[in-house]
Amino acid sequence: MNYLADVRALARKDLLLELRARDTLPSMLLFVVAVFVVFHFALPAGSSDRAASGLLWVAIVFTALLGLGRAFVPEREQRVLDALVLAPCDRSAIWLAKSIATFAFLGAAEVVALPVFALFFHGLSWSTVAGVALADVGICTVGTFVGATAVVTRARELLLPLLFLPLAIPLVIGGVGASVVDAPGRYLAFLGLYDVLFALLCWAAFEYVVVE
Amino acid sequence: MIEARNVGRLFGDKRVLRGVDLDVPRGGFALVTGPNGAGKTTLLRMCAGLALPSEGELRVDVTRERIGFLAHDPLVYRELTALENLDLYGKLYRVLERKERVGMLLERFGLWEARHERVGAYSRGMTQRLALCRVLLHDPALLVLDEPYTALDAQGADLLDEQLDELHGDRTFLVSTHDPERVERFATTRLVLA
Amino acid sequence: MRRAHRIPLPALAVAALVLVVAALVLVFFVAPNDADQGFSQRIFYFHVSIAFTSYLCFGAGAWKALRHLWKRDPHADLESYVAVHQGVIFGSLVLLTGSIWAKISWGHWWLWSENQLVLFLVLFLFYAAYFMLRFSVDPGPQRANLSAVYALFGVVLVPVSFMAIRLAQHFIHPVVFTRHGAAFGGWILVAYLVSQAAIIVLAYTLYRVELAGKLLAARVRELRLA
């Protein structure tokens, strides 16, 4: 019970920080819409709807990267992470709370982005929406983990996409599969499996990222 | 409380600490002095449990939640208010009667009036006072204070003196400072790093 | 030094040399031509052996990573890193041999329909980032922790990516070409097993050589800073 209370307090803090600073969510929104416009011109006339579905996933992954790059900036600026690590809460609560906050931002960006996508390109199937929701879980859990890693290194922003993209490739495969095939069941199941597997791994390993 | 035997620390190819021996009994007050770059901060971080020694043995007989650590940085969120910051730490440390305790500390350190202001808008001295509130919030048994007088004005320094007066005796202290005269009268152990 | 019971390096090196020569002889002069793809199919003996060895290296790296996180075994970090390093070297050879084979058989240097090739590309990218991570943190307990954590991520990524790439075949390449299930017996089996043994012993020898060098460098650094 204490664990959940810790997660709640930490996640609430992250949402409050975003509410004050208002920099992550607006930039994600602008970015994703700008990417759609770029895609329109990057797709030659006569390109299939399937190509557009694939590009939706590129947009989601890169928009998420934008948000993930900001995730641990408040902790890094004043080395607040030291204080969180010293607090008696389980260290994985820091990761879980940050994942929840990132999930909220990414979800909020997609609530706008998906209808815009449907408007600009072709409609959206339910399986795409389900795929996006499931992939978001994986993107946010793994991405937050990688984001925490990146801030403790010298390379920082540079390292985040390099570590994250290879880990996100299975998510893109599952997501695109769910968007373009007629029977998306197995792709959605795969996304769910990825979420569970990597969430467990991140949960167990996070402590080693923040303490020596 | 703290027992260090021949403790050393390397950062990459750089040695920052070598052969440190230190004994601080329960209720003791250890004063760590030395020039910049002598490894004071590193030693304090190791005693607080934020870093591991590369060599030697270090034992700190206190659980994590009983440590109060004052770092160079105030370790508070600039975008949150003083009240929100302390409330967060109060929750994480499961402080009983959190609201009362937070209010009492803010009052004592002269921050009550500014409690709803963003910490980013605070002066350096006010931020340091808030950092002290954060350290004292959960009534720690071991206080690790890195240059606690930094940025404090005369009044703030007097407030800190009062706190040290009140707490020393049953709490254990590990304090690094450039201004040893200020806390000389408390010191039971002295360590000079070169 | 510790682990005196280990096989001495010179003996390992000789064993690796003998096995590699035996494998080359068996593969090029003894094993029969493939009915379908002729002589060029022989690269498969090495391609498959190298791929399997590469997985073994990544697995060993993850095992040592676990030893570091769990037991704080003081040498485990270096051993994990060296194993992953050998895994990446052999992984690059998988890409190289696979690419050569693709060129000979289909006239293209790259085939997205070859699952193993695509998987090794993903792994190559991941482990390259692992090196970037490792070299962007100062040597010390934090670097050991981060390296260990990502070595573990790597072995989880292998089966997950494998599944994903198999799934992708259904919408990326709806037409899956079939390969004849060649009769896997006699000299073919012997040639394969000997190549496999040769590559594994070779990898282990290289691992030991690199580890010995790295341990020596660490010792020198220790003495210099003492």
Side-chain angles (χ1 to χ4, degrees):
Chain A
M1 255 357 352
N2 271 338
Y3 186 82
L4 290 182
D6 290 339
V7 171
R8 231 188 79 171
L10 288 164
R12 194 175 154 269
K13 171 263 304 173
D14 282 313
L15 296 176
L16 204 59
L17 281 172
E18 173 59 19
L19 215 62
R20 293 280 155 75
R22 282 194 208 140
D23 46 8
T24 307
L25 190 53
S27 26
M28 284 168 89
L29 272 173
L30 272 174
F31 179 80
V32 73
V33 176
V35 167
F36 287 157
V37 177
V38 170
F39 283 166
H40 168 73
F41 292 104
L43 286 171
S47 296
S48 71
D49 285 354
R50 284 161 72 105
S53 299
L55 287 179
L56 170 67
W57 285 91
V58 179
I60 288 174
V61 168
F62 283 97
T63 307
L65 264 178
L66 201 68
L68 291 167
R70 297 289 303 171
F72 278 94
V73 167
E75 276 76 17
R76 187 186 76 196
E77 270 174 356
Q78 310 282 313
R79 303 187 67 155
V80 186
L81 202 54
D82 278 351
L84 298 186
V85 163
L86 272 180
C89 61
D90 195 295
R91 274 78 181 239
S92 66
I94 303 169
W95 159 79
L96 185 54
K98 195 65 96 177
S99 302
I100 290 171
T102 318
F103 184 80
F105 300 149
L106 185 59
E110 284 163 353
V111 164
V112 177
L114 289 180
V116 170
F117 177 83
L119 185 75
F120 283 2
F121 297 93
H122 52 87
L124 276 175
S125 61
W126 280 110
S127 60
T128 305
V129 177
V132 169
L134 280 170
D136 281 357
V137 175
I139 288 173
C140 292
T141 49
V142 173
T144 304
F145 190 94
V146 175
T149 311
V151 296
V152 301
T153 64
R154 283 193 300 267
R156 291 196 175 157
E157 296 78 11
L158 210 55
L159 209 53
L160 175 65
L162 292 182
L163 277 170
F164 179 67
L165 287 179
L167 289 166
I169 288 170
L171 285 172
V172 171
I173 292 174
V176 174
S179 312
V180 300
V181 301
D182 294 329
R186 67 160 103 184
Y187 293 96
L188 295 176
F190 172 75
L191 287 173
L193 178 73
Y194 180 103
D195 292 347
V196 171
L197 219 53
F198 274 94
L200 278 175
L201 188 59
C202 292
W203 174 78
F206 188 74
E207 168 136 19
Y208 299 107
V209 173
V210 290
V211 296
E212 292 208 327
Chain B
M1 186 68 111
I2 300 177
E3 222 184 285
R5 289 284 165 272
N6 199 27
V7 163
R9 173 73 203 217
L10 306 169
F11 281 107
D13 275 343
K14 205 167 162 272
R15 173 178 284 285
V16 289
L17 215 56
R18 181 201 300 268
V20 173
D21 290 301
L22 178 66
D23 276 288
V24 189
R26 198 168 295 274
F29 192 110
L31 193 55
V32 184
T33 52
N36 287 331
K40 298 191 293 290
T41 297
T42 305
L43 179 64
L44 264 56
R45 282 176 64 82
M46 289 198 295
C47 291
L50 285 169
L52 293 173
S54 309
E55 348 160 296
E57 282 196 33
L58 176 65
R59 273 191 50 196
V60 180
D61 284 326
V62 64
T63 51
R64 194 161 103 215
E65 65 264 30
R66 302 299 319 272
I67 295 177
F69 178 56
L70 182 77
H72 268 302
D73 298 300
L75 308 190
V76 288
Y77 290 96
R78 294 170 60 82
E79 295 296 331
L80 299 184
T81 68
L83 206 56
E84 287 162 347
N85 266 301
L86 292 184
D87 195 57
L88 171 67
Y89 286 113
K91 279 180 189 159
L92 295 182
Y93 278 97
R94 322 195 197 302
V95 173
L96 298 172
E97 295 177 351
R98 190 173 73 239
K99 294 228 163 17
E100 290 75 7
R101 177 133 184 98
V102 167
M104 189 269 286
L105 281 166
L106 286 173
E107 187 88 64
R108 184 174 296 183
F109 280 89
L111 294 172
W112 180 252
E113 301 298 320
R115 66 189 184 281
H116 290 303
E117 274 175 45
R118 276 176 56 246
V119 176
Y122 276 22
S123 69
R124 281 264 291 141
M126 287 166 83
T127 316
Q128 182 74 355
R129 290 182 192 205
L130 178 61
L132 285 165
C133 293
R134 177 185 62 74
V135 172
L136 297 171
L137 183 62
H138 55 287
D139 193 18
L142 169 64
L143 286 110
V144 179
L145 310 178
D146 195 357
E147 306 277 3
Y149 289 93
T150 307
L152 290 180
D153 55 13
Q155 195 202 354
D158 288 340
L159 277 168
L160 179 54
D161 281 345
E162 265 172 46
Q163 285 296 312
L164 294 182
D165 252 331
E166 193 178 305
L167 293 174
H168 105 283
D170 48 342
R171 309 297 193 300
T172 310
F173 283 85
L174 179 63
V175 180
S176 84
T177 178
H178 281 302
D179 181 19
E181 285 81 42
R182 182 113 214 169
V183 281
E184 191 61 47
R185 61 202 161 98
F186 301 115
T188 59
T189 311
R190 286 168 194 79
L191 177 69
V192 181
L193 295 175
Chain C
M1 286 287 275
R2 68 194 194 109
R3 299 197 190 165
H5 61 276
R6 277 182 164 188
I7 311 163
L9 248 181
L12 261 180
V14 170
L17 186 71
V18 169
L19 278 167
V20 168
V21 170
L24 285 170
V25 169
L26 280 167
V27 167
F28 286 110
F29 299 105
V30 181
N33 257 354
D34 185 76
D36 237 21
Q37 296 169 44
F39 190 79
S40 63
Q41 184 264 350
R42 287 168 203 252
I43 198 168
F44 254 93
Y45 290 104
F46 294 112
H47 179 70
V48 173
S49 310
I50 291 170
F52 183 74
T53 307
S54 191
Y55 288 131
L56 277 185
C57 290
F58 292 140
W63 168 246
K64 294 291 185 186
L66 209 58
R67 296 277 310 177
H68 164 75
L69 295 177
W70 187 20
K71 305 261 184 183
R72 294 276 158 177
D73 181 342
H75 288 276
D77 171 52
L78 204 56
E79 289 170 344
S80 168
Y81 162 69
V82 171
V84 170
H85 190 208
Q86 292 302 328
V88 170
I89 291 172
F90 281 84
S92 318
L93 287 176
V94 173
L95 291 175
L96 190 73
T97 51
S99 191
I100 292 169
W101 166 76
K103 177 66 181 167
I104 293 169
S105 299
W106 279 278
H108 298 290
W109 288 108
W110 185 258
L111 268 184
W112 284 107
S113 51
E114 257 313 299
N115 287 345
Q116 180 140 285
L117 229 46
V118 179
L119 176 57
F120 269 91
L121 186 60
V122 173
L123 292 180
F124 182 81
L125 289 172
F126 175 80
Y127 283 107
Y130 163 94
F131 289 125
M132 291 276 294
L133 168 67
R134 193 170 166 93
F135 294 125
S136 130
V137 185
D138 282 331
Q142 187 169 47
R143 183 173 88 168
N145 281 350
L146 292 176
S147 304
V149 164
Y150 281 89
L152 287 174
F153 266 65
V155 286
V156 177
L157 187 65
V158 171
V160 169
S161 295
F162 178 76
M163 269 180 78
I165 290 164
R166 294 262 319 234
L167 279 172
Q169 294 293 14
H170 297 283
F171 61 89
I172 304 278
H173 307 281
V175 189
V176 180
F177 53 87
T178 53
R179 208 179 297 141
H180 285 290
F184 202 66
W187 282 114
I188 293 177
L189 184 63
V190 172
Y192 167 70
L193 288 177
V194 173
S195 333
Q196 183 66 77
I199 304 284
I200 289 176
V201 174
L202 180 66
Y204 185 59
T205 310
L206 290 174
Y207 164 82
R208 287 282 301 278
V209 170
E210 190 184 351
L211 191 63
K214 288 268 176 1
L215 282 173
L216 198 64
R219 184 86 191 105
V220 167
R221 189 174 137 258
E222 246 169 55
L223 289 173
R224 192 157 47 79
L225 288 167

